[in-house]
Amino acid sequence: MSAGKSNASSAARRLPNREAALDSLYNDISAKNMFPFWATSTDVAHDEIKQLMGTQKAVPHLWSYKSDIEPILFRAAELVTMDDSERRSLILVNPGLSPRRATVSTMYTAYRLNDANEVMPPHRHSPNAIRFGLTGKGNFTGVGGEDITFGPGDMVLTPVDTWHNHGNVGNEPAVNLSVLDLPLVETLNAVYFEHDYNEMVDGKPVKKKQQTATVPPDYSARAYDHGGLKPRFLQHHRGAGFSSPMYVYRWEMMQELIERFKDWDGDPYEAISIEYVDPLTGGPVFKTMTFFVQVLRPGEKTLPVRQTASLLVAPFEGKGHSLIDGKRFAWEAFDNLAVPGGSWFEHVNDDPKHEAILFIASDEPALKCFHLFKKWGRDAAGDTVKLT
């Protein structure tokens, strides 16, 4: 440091009432909605680094379906009718992010119970979303002119800016979970919803309570469930054209692939993992989120992983536990587990006889768009290795 700078620094520290002047400076900065990014104060109230790093962060958290979610869903179904609200969903709010509607920083999971034969009117929005069937055979989503009835394990896309409506066309209650990238879209100040659905009839717009089907109900299967084969005569631009054109991924397809690979070694960090992809590109179904199924064979345990991506883990079959930053979370079917980016985690199948299947959502594609996705693991010796 030069003599001039040293003398100036010493002189500043000898100023009369310096601490009071600093307090006044910081109060003025705060009152004018600014932030002092220099770490010189010893006053805890003005510790700039602590303030900068003190923003809300998601924490690991487990929601029990049997104890937390299911009882409230059925109470809500009795008390809240479709006349009261067209939505009757429970959003899982991360304790570290409350009251923000977010299960991790970029995504949220919601559970929905539909009574028999109730279907809500069409709407569309900027967030991407999926529905994943849990119970019942009559879960319904009409999306982009395709009427999709789905059951347990089926995943249905409702992409950005694509008209869709949800409900239940069966004679018994049906439960599904949804995952949306709404927290990310909200952060980008790009959330919008539209509810005035119209169709052209005799050259005039007519308001409709349900979309008219324009393709067969098995359109996604006919067009896209033959991997490696693409019908050239079809128009593959569907909805806004920013997502996979395959709008439903049936559980039978996933089961078949699981059977093919269940005796393979798999990956030490991800076991047997199968990702849902756009059949035209092989990339994720959305530009913001990806989804995959992870199979843990009886007694299987994954090695610890840490990554910048956040995960929403929904066990679909079996029981086990996960260790997140050293804390144990015991789970069973239909529970939901938030794994924030930056946490060390591993999954364990506690059943020595039966496999466990996890349905997982990740914001990995969004991070990759900005070249922010990184991944590390610990090998069998406990040493940290860079995976990505």
Side-chain angles (χ1 to χ4, degrees), residues 64-277:
S64 165
Y65 182 75
K66 287 185 178 179
S67 302
D68 303 331
I69 299 170
E70 186 179 38
I72 295 177
L73 281 177
F74 279 90
R75 285 168 59 195
E78 292 179 355
L79 298 171
V80 182
T81 70
M82 292 293 284
D83 293 331
D84 298 320
S85 173
E86 293 175 357
R87 289 178 176 80
R88 194 169 56 235
S89 296
L90 285 176
I91 298 174
L92 306 186
V93 175
N94 191 288
L97 301 175
S98 178
R100 189 173 168 226
R101 295 175 298 170
T103 314
V104 288
S105 59
T106 54
M107 304 178 289
Y108 79 55
T109 294
Y111 285 70
R112 182 185 180 99
L113 181 148
N114 281 110
D115 277 333
N117 299 298
E118 59 176 14
V119 179
M120 64 182 287
H123 66 285
R124 64 179 178 179
H125 41 68
S126 51
N128 289 295
I130 63 98
R131 288 294 192 278
F132 186 78
L134 297 180
T135 70
K137 298 179 180 179
N139 280 301
F140 172 82
T141 292
V143 54
E146 184 176 357
D147 285 349
I148 299 169
T149 302
F150 62 102
D154 296 337
M155 186 181 81
V156 179
L157 308 188
T158 52
V160 55
D161 215 24
T162 303
W163 287 103
H164 57 278
N165 55 318
H166 301 297
N168 178 5
V169 294
N171 295 319
E172 60 181 0
V175 177
N176 61 66
L177 68 79
S178 57
V179 179
L180 283 76
D181 57 11
L182 188 142
L184 173 62
V185 180
E186 199 169 46
T187 298
L188 298 173
N189 197 33
V191 174
Y192 65 80
F193 283 74
E194 296 180 14
H195 298 88
D196 296 324
Y197 179 71
N198 296 281
E199 293 181 3
M200 298 301 293
V201 179
D202 297 328
K204 297 179 180 179
V206 177
K207 188 173 178 62
K208 294 277 190 175
K209 291 186 177 180
Q210 189 164 337
Q211 291 186 80
T212 300
T214 57
V215 297
D218 61 347
Y219 180 84
S220 285
R222 283 197 201 185
Y224 300 113
D225 73 353
H226 294 77
L229 301 175
K230 173 184 172 182
R232 285 171 58 91
F233 60 92
L234 294 179
Q235 169 56 258
H236 297 287
H237 182 105
R238 304 188 73 193
F242 302 130
S243 71
S244 167
M246 185 173 178
Y247 284 170
V248 58
Y249 294 74
R250 298 294 183 184
W251 183 245
E252 289 78 8
M253 292 172 54
M254 180 62 71
Q255 279 184 312
E256 182 181 338
L257 205 52
I258 289 172
E259 285 299 313
R260 290 185 195 177
F261 288 108
K262 68 179 184 180
D263 295 328
W264 289 45
D265 289 341
D267 183 89
Y269 299 98
E270 292 194 348
I272 297 291
S273 291
I274 300 172
E275 187 174 7
Y276 299 87
V277 299

Side-chain angles (χ1 to χ4, degrees), residues 224-360:
Y224 300 113
D225 73 353
H226 294 77
L229 301 175
K230 173 184 172 182
R232 285 171 58 91
F233 60 92
L234 294 179
Q235 169 56 258
H236 297 287
H237 182 105
R238 304 188 73 193
F242 302 130
S243 71
S244 167
M246 185 173 178
Y247 284 170
V248 58
Y249 294 74
R250 298 294 183 184
W251 183 245
E252 289 78 8
M253 292 172 54
M254 180 62 71
Q255 279 184 312
E256 182 181 338
L257 205 52
I258 289 172
E259 285 299 313
R260 290 185 195 177
F261 288 108
K262 68 179 184 180
D263 295 328
W264 289 45
D265 289 341
D267 183 89
Y269 299 98
E270 292 194 348
I272 297 291
S273 291
I274 300 172
E275 187 174 7
Y276 299 87
V277 299
D278 182 331
L280 300 182
T281 67
V285 296
F286 298 135
K287 290 178 168 47
T288 52
M289 300 182 290
T290 192
F291 304 87
F292 56 95
V293 162
Q294 190 171 97
V295 182
L296 301 172
R297 277 72 63 92
E300 187 171 10
K301 173 182 178 180
T302 62
L303 290 176
V305 172
R306 176 176 176 262
Q307 59 185 9
T308 52
S310 296
L311 302 179
L312 297 172
V313 179
F316 183 58
E317 293 181 7
K319 61 182 180 180
H321 72 273
S322 299
L323 295 174
I324 309 178
D325 291 333
K327 185 176 180 180
R328 190 179 191 274
F329 296 86
W331 42 256
E332 58 185 0
F334 300 176
D335 290 351
N336 212 280
L337 180 63
V339 183
S343 297
W344 282 99
F345 66 92
E346 55 193 285
H347 304 306
V348 183
N349 182 356
D350 292 332
D351 193 324
K353 295 183 179 180
H354 302 95
E355 64 188 18
I357 298 179
L358 310 177
F359 175 74
I360 301 176

